[in-house]
Amino acid sequence: MSDTFTARVEQPGGPVHAGSGDLYSYTVNMGAGDQEAPGRSPRSIADDQLRLVRQQFVDPAGMGMARRVLDASSTVILHGAPGSGRTAAACVLLYEVHQSTGIFRELLPGEEEGVLTDPGLVGVGDRLLLNLAEADVSQWAQTRRDLSALRKAVQEQQAHLVVVMPHDGALESRLQPYRADIARPPAMEVFRRHLRLHRIPYEEYGLPAPALDEFLAEEPSMEEIAHFADRVRRARAAFPVRDGFATWCEQSRDARTQWRKEVSELVATRCTAAQRALQFATAMLHGAHADVIHRGAALLLSTLNTPRDETPLLEGKDLAERLKEIGAAAGPDSRVRFDRLDYDAAVRAHFWDHMPDLRHLFSTWTVQSAELDDPHIRQDLRKRLVSRLADQYLRTGRGNDLAFLAEEWSAAPTSRARLEAAVDALACGLSDPRYGRSLRMLVYYWCRDKHLTGSLAHVLLRVCTDVIAPAHPDQAVTRLHHLARRERGATPALDALCRLAVTSARLRRRILDRLTCHSTAPTVDARLFLRICDPEALTDPAGAPRPLIDEKGVQDCVVAGWAEALARLPQPHWQPYAERWLHTACTADNHRDRMLGLLVDAAGRNGSTLAALYSVARAAEPTAPGGRASGAATTERLIQKISAAQGLRPPAPPTPPAPPRGTTR
């Protein structure tokens, strides 16, 4: 794919997961004087998410066999019925083989990561998930043909691979030894595990509950059980005294089945604009302080240009009475909630489904509410607010529109709250299993070609590092590279690319290859190369059998990259990087000759370039590790290699003076 360089970046400025869906739901310059600290690395984000899955997980029948197969052959093919927690089981298996090297990632055949037979797809110690639970017949057949080559690379790199196969998929006899069948874990045990994680004592949930028995008799998926348990937790938190476990379970059941009809009837009877505005604001800001609910309802009326009620304030109904009319109330903490569990979700769905002409105004109201200056509006409330709006887009098949909503919200002028809302909205779409793939492709095209106005570059950067990179680092590399190419001045995308390279030698190798051997913008990529080509990282094996600099392919990239940098960039730009390269050579005794040789090979037979390298080496001697003598020795070795490259004999060492007559040496 060709790159477009006419575009310009302006102003760079406890989830539940129990077996299905995507596991994965940093920071940059936001303008002069408004900077954020670097966020967590993609590796730490992925590890935290896997740890959460492990805490929620109940071993299904067959899990022990799956562990033994993975331990013996580094590969296991999981087979199980839909809803049995296959994806969660795969993630737990990979979490349990965590190593100091390598990263967790999900392979995505058919997207951008090449064919499964590419040996470069696997890094040392990587933990790979190949989820083909929903694959069609042809995709599963192709995967089976490629699996031997992939398994060979996995074993050579001391990595681990878990494949989730289609429930009705075929498996040849040669692959049967790697198969492990898992069954649904005991539903009641899964339910109680979630309640224990919610810190609910056994004395409370170890009681009979007919509504729970009725629910579990339906053989729900692991994900549905997790949601049911979460509703029980919230029912207990809302009504801890007057109700017991059986009633909490009844409320959780009714929240699944009955509220939509009752909401429809309530909205029909509460027909004034003020009442409906209060209903919608309470549903969207559910659990917020009463002051926030009041301001949110007034803001909605203003957004809809509703004529103001002229009733004198002291004659009108107070907020408590108005909330009672819609089935809500403020608790002792002044936080407003409906009096029935998950009633807020039913209200949101009703307004979205039955008032389609107001959807864009609801979106406008959402971001304006997130920007309200109120001490009770904190970041967690803003995130919940945006997530509740995003849920409506996703629920009604409009997930891709979240990208355009993020673009609108990040347009200049913007605010920190609006910008965070844009990031959160797009992140919700990327984390959804139905829309993740199409939105990742849209983010790719935007990073590569789109005219990035306002703070859209910031939004794209954030989702690349926080959402895409933890499970799909190769795709994050591609997108960050395109963003970095377009930066002027500040380099947040390049900084993020460098941090991503630190997590995996395989990723650094991949980035170097993109910047050199497959570059379509050599001058721009030469600048990026100097940052990525960190000599210490190249000479440190970091747990691998050998360092990157010993690989022929990496050596070719280093020579090609330095050749472009020396030829295309002014000396003041590349000199600090050359000094760092020479200083590393001073201490890397086993790699000094190779490092100096690669630098000389990059200069070729260009006399002026070789002379410039020599002058840089002389200038770097005083600050060399080990002092001037160490730097001088490296310079001496460099001049010998320069002489050899020019076909000159290295100068003979000086003849020592003759000893005085009558003495012995």
Side-chain angles (χ1 to χ4, degrees), residues 377-409:
I377 300 180
R378 306 191 180 210
Q379 187 57 30
D380 58 340
L381 176 59
R382 293 186 175 99
K383 290 181 76 71
R384 288 198 302 271
L385 176 60
V386 173
S387 176
R388 288 164 178 167
L389 177 73
D391 285 344
Q392 304 311 310
Y393 277 89
L394 295 167
R395 184 181 60 82
T396 54
R398 302 178 61 206
N400 288 334
D401 289 351
L402 289 171
F404 303 102
L405 192 64
E407 179 184 16
E408 177 186 332
W409 289 355

Side-chain angles (χ1 to χ4, degrees), residues 653-664:
T655 303
R661 186 184 297 267
T663 63
T664 60

Side-chain angles (χ1 to χ4, degrees), residues 515-527:
L515 294 173
T516 57
C517 302
H518 295 92
S519 174
T520 57
T523 300
V524 177
D525 283 345
R527 294 179 180 272

